[in-house]
Amino acid sequence: MAAQNFKYLVFFTLLAVLIGSIYFVIVFQDFIITNLIWIGLLAVFTFIVYKYDFILQLVDYERAVIYRFGKVHHVGGPGWTWIWPIVEKYALVDLRIKTLDVPKQHVVTKDGVEVTIDAIVYLKVKKDNQSVVNSVIEVEDYVKASQLFVISSLRDVIGSMMLSDVIANIEVINAQIKENLAGISKNWGIICDSIEIRDVEIPDVVLNAMHE
């Protein structure tokens, strides 16, 4: 019974809306016809405002690479930046330091010992406009690219060293990997603040032998 009453309520509500709409069109038809162009322009403007971002409010650590017809036009920010709807698009760039926690890597040293390396990387986009542009047009994802390169570099550097040299030269390894990353990313618009190997895990058997 309740469901049937609800159906009646919905039916009469829709009927009332339909009658009201017809009445509105009949009463205001002259006004609508006379101002049809302005109504259309208002509808288009409302759609554009709803669909597109045309004013960006960028905080101090944000920049926006503005594309006009697909080509880099300028860098906006910080503060308010105007975007022409449809004509222009943008890519947001964060200038804060990114912390990359490199997954633990199992690396075999030159003398055949498998060690587990835990490292962390600190990098950021430089503040000049060209670096901001390069960080989005020269590399698809500089964070992921840097992480993968550090993993590869860890394997190359540590794999070429004896276990005793790895333990004794952690700072040297950090500096070498940082230099390698700087070389490959020189056109990415980023700078590596630091690379830190936090831990080197040695197999218990090898560790006990070293203690003896």
Side-chain angles (χ1 to χ4, degrees):
M1 187 67 178
Q4 188 175 7
N5 291 336
F6 178 75
K7 291 181 180 179
Y8 285 138
L9 178 62
V10 171
F11 172 76
F12 285 114
T13 301
L14 293 176
L15 183 61
V17 170
L18 178 61
I19 294 173
S21 301
I22 296 173
Y23 176 77
F24 178 83
V25 171
I26 293 174
V27 172
F28 295 98
Q29 61 179 342
D30 292 338
F31 173 81
I32 293 174
I33 294 173
T34 304
N35 299 277
L36 189 60
I37 295 177
W38 294 109
I39 293 173
L41 291 175
L42 179 61
V44 171
F45 178 76
T46 302
F47 172 78
I48 291 175
V49 170
Y50 172 78
K51 184 71 175 179
Y52 299 96
D53 295 325
F54 62 97
I55 294 180
L56 302 179
Q57 187 173 0
L58 305 173
V59 296
D60 194 54
Y61 58 81
E62 291 179 322
R63 300 294 186 272
V65 179
I66 312 298
Y67 302 92
R68 180 173 295 177
F69 298 115
K71 185 177 181 180
V72 174
H73 186 261
H74 67 280
V75 175
W80 286 15
T81 300
W82 176 268
I83 301 291
W84 290 103
I86 302 175
V87 174
E88 293 182 338
K89 296 182 179 180
Y90 70 93
L92 199 61
V93 178
D94 192 326
L95 302 182
R96 292 177 294 182
I97 292 176
K98 296 286 190 302
T99 304
L100 281 66
D101 190 359
V102 179
K104 290 185 177 182
Q105 299 299 309
H106 300 285
V107 183
V108 178
T109 62
K110 189 175 182 180
D111 49 349
V113 179
E114 185 180 67
V115 295
T116 303
I117 306 295
D118 188 12
I120 191 167
V121 182
Y122 301 93
L123 54 81
K124 64 181 179 181
V125 177
K126 292 182 283 188
K127 291 186 177 181
D128 62 282
N129 287 350
Q130 188 58 53
S131 294
V132 173
V133 171
N134 287 353
S135 71
V136 296
I137 68 171
E138 295 293 341
V139 59
E140 182 179 3
D141 184 344
Y142 70 86
V143 173
K144 184 177 181 180
S146 299
Q147 185 183 56
L148 292 176
F149 180 79
V150 168
I151 291 174
S152 176
S153 192
L154 275 171
R155 294 179 178 275
D156 290 342
V157 173
I158 294 178
S160 65
M161 301 173 67
M162 305 292 283
L163 176 60
S164 57
D165 293 332
V166 172
I167 297 172
N169 295 284
I170 294 297
E171 293 301 324
V172 175
I173 297 172
N174 290 337
Q176 181 63 54
I177 296 175
K178 181 179 178 181
E179 182 180 345
N180 293 347
L181 179 58
I184 196 173
S185 64
K186 61 183 179 180
N187 294 325
W188 297 355
I190 66 173
I191 183 171
C192 178
D193 275 6
S194 178
I195 294 178
E196 301 292 337
I197 294 179
R198 297 185 295 181
D199 189 24
V200 179
E201 297 180 9
I202 304 171
D204 291 339
V205 174
V206 177
L207 190 59
N208 292 335
M210 292 174 66
H211 287 164
E212 292 176 3

